[in-house]
Amino acid sequence: MKSFTLLLVILVFLLPVSVFSECTCDKSEVEGGKNRAEALKYKLVAIATILIAGGIGVAVPVLSKTFPSFSPENDIFFMIKAFAAGVILATGMVHVLPDAFESLTSPCLNENPWGFPFSGFVAMLSAIGTLMVDTFATSYYQRSHFCKAKPVSGDEEKVGDHQAHVHLHTHATHGHAHGSTLSSNEESSSSALIRHRVVSQVLEMGIVVHSVVIGISLGASESPKTIKPLVAALTFHQLFEGMGLGGCISQATFKAKTITVMAVFFALTTPIGVAIGLGISNIYDENSTTALIVEGIFNSASAGILVYMALVDLLAADFMNPRLQNNSRLQFGANFSLLLGAGCMSLLAKWA
């Protein structure tokens, strides 16, 4: 967990450094006109509202003990998670990936090699890479968890974190063997818990990458006409994306310290991106070659992560759950919530 958090921190602070470059394209953004004083006002509003929305979104599912309706054991949790998954899917497909295509097909870039569809290619590699990380991390945690249930020698019982494990110990003179077993329910529960923990961490990584990119873009812009719709769109986006991430975190049952770190880190990423963009607005040019390439690559990668996570780890896992499959009303509600979340987030693309 510490190494994962360190990686995210490095990404946050290295990204803006890589986009410091001189403009190499005559095409500059003049839409809506530049007004630094008015733009600064909207940026400060954006930092506050996005921070609050993200904090509320990620906190509601995490505080499910305080709000029983949002508990993973309640049917409404499936519908809320489906809505949030729809938001995340639309974010990747309708918001982030088109921006990546726009950046990497810009006339500011040379036809060779950028004539190749790198956006789709990087998104594909990112989705495959996420699958590999998902698989390797899950298998690693499963091995490290169950190796603690290995046989012990003598008549001593190992008492620790795995008190639910059933240990079989007898003397050799009785013709029995030493060993340890887990009931199928316990093993299934442990595997599900491991999956939830891996999913929550990988999902946060994908969310953080694109949140920093879009935060920097907003913070560096000096056009109030561009910033105003972005503030509203990002506020709703952070709220519902936070609910999706918070749902995964609550199912992972991390320790309080880990939950706090993950929730705070999510809530802070976009405001930090806005603050960084605000700080580099004088030297940042979104039409420079370096900025277009960096934004395009990062957006493509985050789009691949978000689409994979939404479809595979959030939707497929819940929609194939016997509890939902055997309940027609819950199935209808989850499908409706999915379409509503994806539709609402897609509609925001009209303004942002």
Side-chain angles (χ1 to χ4, degrees):
M1 182 61 200
K2 291 182 179 179
S3 58
F4 173 78
T5 305
L6 179 60
L7 174 62
L8 295 182
V9 171
I10 292 173
L11 282 175
V12 168
F13 289 102
L14 285 187
L15 177 60
V17 176
S18 60
V19 295
F20 291 170
S21 65
E22 297 180 357
C23 179
T24 57
C25 182
D26 295 333
K27 180 183 175 183
S28 300
E29 179 192 17
V30 293
E31 182 182 354
K34 294 184 179 182
N35 187 328
R36 290 190 177 184
E38 189 177 358
L40 176 60
K41 179 177 67 175
Y42 287 118
K43 291 174 189 178
L44 296 177
V45 170
I47 292 175
T49 57
I50 292 172
L51 177 62
I52 293 171
I56 293 174
V58 75
V60 169
V62 169
L63 299 176
S64 57
K65 292 181 180 179
T66 308
F67 305 96
S69 298
F70 299 106
S71 172
E73 288 75 30
N74 198 300
D75 287 348
I76 196 173
F77 181 82
F78 279 87
M79 289 184 279
I80 293 174
K81 198 174 173 186
F83 182 91
V87 170
I88 293 172
L89 181 61
T91 298
M93 294 291 290
V94 182
H95 289 259
V96 182
L97 192 58
D99 286 346
F101 273 101
E102 183 179 356
S103 295
L104 296 181
T105 57
S106 170
C108 297
L109 299 180
N110 294 327
E111 179 67 22
N112 186 22
W114 300 105
F116 181 80
F118 276 104
S119 300
F121 181 69
V122 172
M124 178 189 70
L125 291 181
S126 176
I128 294 174
T130 306
L131 170 65
M132 293 179 177
V133 171
D134 215 356
T135 304
F136 292 145
T138 302
S139 62
Y140 170 78
Y141 283 120
Q142 283 179 337
R143 287 195 304 270
S144 63
H145 178 83
F146 290 115
C147 73
K148 296 179 182 179
K150 284 183 178 179
V152 295
S153 58
D155 292 322
E156 297 179 357
E157 293 288 344
K158 181 179 180 181
V159 180
D161 294 334
H162 303 275
Q163 293 179 353
H165 297 179
V166 179
H167 297 273
L168 303 178
H169 297 281
T170 56
H171 294 286
T173 53
H174 294 156
H176 298 294
H178 295 275
S180 64
T181 62
L182 282 172
S183 69
S184 59
N185 288 338
E186 289 169 345
E187 186 172 349
S188 176
S189 177
S190 296
S191 298
L193 180 61
I194 290 170
R195 285 293 303 133
H196 289 315
R197 292 186 173 183
V198 172
V199 166
S200 62
Q201 293 182 8
V202 176
L203 178 60
E204 179 154 18
M205 180 177 69
I207 290 173
V208 163
V209 172
H210 88 84
S211 293
V212 173
V213 171
I214 197 168
I216 290 175
S217 298
L218 187 153
S221 176
E222 295 178 354
S223 170
K225 187 176 180 180
T226 301
I227 296 172
K228 281 192 286 186
L230 272 177
V231 173
L234 287 178
T235 299
F236 284 105
H237 170 263
Q238 286 295 100
L239 176 66
F240 293 115
E241 199 170 57
M243 292 179 71
L245 177 62
C248 293
I249 293 174
S250 66
Q251 288 180 306
T253 62
F254 286 112
K255 293 181 180 180
K257 182 179 178 181
T258 303
I259 292 175
T260 303
V261 170
M262 293 183 71
V264 170
F265 198 79
F266 165 78
L268 288 176
T269 47
T270 304
I272 286 175
V274 175
I276 293 173
L278 183 60
I280 65 173
S281 58
N282 291 331
I283 56 176
Y284 179 89
D285 185 352
E286 65 178 11
N287 289 319
S288 69
T289 301
T290 306
L292 288 169
I293 293 173
V294 170
E295 287 186 16
I297 295 297
F298 271 82
N299 278 331
S300 300
S302 60
I305 295 173
L306 293 176
V307 170
Y308 171 87
M309 297 300 297
L311 291 175
V312 178
D313 284 332
L314 298 180
L315 293 174
D318 284 347
F319 277 59
M320 297 304 163
N321 190 315
R323 179 176 169 184
L324 187 143
Q325 297 258 316
N326 297 329
N327 188 330
S328 299
R329 290 181 61 186
L330 181 57
Q331 199 170 29
F332 174 81
N335 280 279
F336 178 79
S337 297
L338 168 62
L339 293 173
L340 182 63
C344 290
M345 196 63 207
S346 298
L347 184 62
L348 288 176
K350 179 177 176 61
W351 298 280

